[in-house]
Amino acid sequence: MIDLLAPLPDAPEPDWAAAFRLPIVDCGEALEPLGTSQGFLVWPAYHRLGIANAPAECHARGGVFQRLLQAARLLPDGLRLVVLDAWRPFAVQQHLYDTLYNILRQHEADAEPAELARRTREFVAPPSTRADAPSPHLTGGAVDVGLCDRDGRWLDMGSLFDEATPRSHTRHYENASDDHGRAIRDRRRLLFNAMRAVGFSNLSSEWWHYDYGDQLWAWHHGHPTAIYGPAQVQPLEHLWRQQLDALRHPS
């Protein structure tokens, strides 16, 4: 039986360089739209915030979709899983990274570039389309999730989604001594233990970020290879061309 209120384990910051050195043997799973799901809610946060190039739908690999459904079923009655982001275009990743880096540089004018990059990477992975080292969200294996009640009202998770402060660290409330802090701790435990039970790993600096199949997931679990490399949501024009080519050159 899964203990959804089990304490959150200590988790160091990932060794990103080591993770990106892990080879990728892509299993070929397609990206699937998550908005058709009846098992969890989808609220594409970046599109709703008006960020340029952010898709109006959340897409993820088929294996991720299945595990999100499984995690949602593990939650207690009255709680629902909400997907905030999944596959992310490179342009959006670049925008998020550059924006946070520049804000940190303005607030900490004396900080060295390497320290600014480290602080930025705490909350936004470096943008990369490299076939051997893609940004996690570009693979369709990384998802950002939260919790709401049965009526769709957000639950207080202790920080805003994408909040760039220590309160966003997954274990920030683990030793809380007041009722409010313990309530947040328990919600984070519920989310973490449900997601971990179905195979996801968590990014320790972001309570909302979970990975399956990408290099970060492989690093966390000690797997020799990742199973998801860079992926792309194909535009309608590309799909039409594929269909016409298939008709012209049947196998």
Side-chain angles (χ1 to χ4, degrees), residues 82-223:
V82 187
V83 175
L84 301 165
D85 191 37
W87 176 82
R88 185 182 297 166
F90 174 79
V92 176
Q93 190 73 29
Q94 186 77 62
H95 170 81
L96 296 175
Y97 186 90
D98 290 348
T99 300
L100 181 54
Y101 183 94
N102 289 330
I103 290 173
L104 289 172
R105 184 174 58 182
Q106 292 167 11
H107 281 260
E108 302 174 24
D110 296 330
E112 295 292 329
E115 175 60 16
L116 291 173
R118 187 197 67 79
R119 292 280 309 283
T120 304
R121 191 175 60 240
E122 195 175 354
F123 298 104
V124 183
S128 171
T129 58
R130 285 174 47 190
D132 63 339
S135 303
H137 277 282
L138 189 64
T139 71
V143 290
D144 296 331
V145 293
L147 295 175
C148 69
D149 66 15
R150 69 171 74 250
D151 297 315
R153 293 176 295 192
W154 297 107
L155 297 184
D156 182 2
M157 300 297 290
S159 80
L160 297 175
F161 167 59
D162 262 355
E163 182 175 315
T165 74
R167 296 192 306 174
S168 293
H169 292 192
T170 306
R171 296 189 76 256
H172 183 76
Y173 292 90
E174 191 61 18
N175 298 314
S177 58
D178 62 293
D179 290 343
H180 179 249
R182 285 194 293 267
I184 293 169
R185 176 203 65 191
D186 288 351
R187 293 181 195 124
R188 292 192 182 190
R189 286 181 176 183
L190 285 169
L191 181 61
F192 178 92
N193 287 308
M195 295 292 282
R196 183 174 65 169
V198 300
F200 287 97
S201 62
N202 171 249
L203 181 60
S204 59
S205 57
E206 299 179 356
W207 60 260
W208 57 83
H209 180 104
Y210 288 85
D211 295 273
Y212 178 80
D214 59 23
Q215 288 167 306
L216 197 54
W217 163 85
W219 181 86
H220 274 114
H221 287 281
H223 297 312

Side-chain angles (χ1 to χ4, degrees), residues 32-35 37-42 58-75 80-87 140-146 191 194-195 198-200 208 210-212:
E32 300 181 14
L34 303 182
S37 171
Q38 300 299 306
F40 51 80
L41 301 177
V42 177
C58 291
H59 291 80
R61 299 279 192 139
V64 172
F65 197 157
Q66 183 59 36
R67 283 164 178 80
L68 288 170
L69 291 170
Q70 293 169 352
R73 295 186 191 112
L74 293 175
L75 295 174
R80 301 195 69 184
L81 187 70
V82 187
V83 175
L84 301 165
D85 191 37
W87 176 82
V143 290
D144 296 331
V145 293
L191 181 61
M195 295 292 282
V198 300
F200 287 97
W208 57 83
Y210 288 85
D211 295 273
Y212 178 80

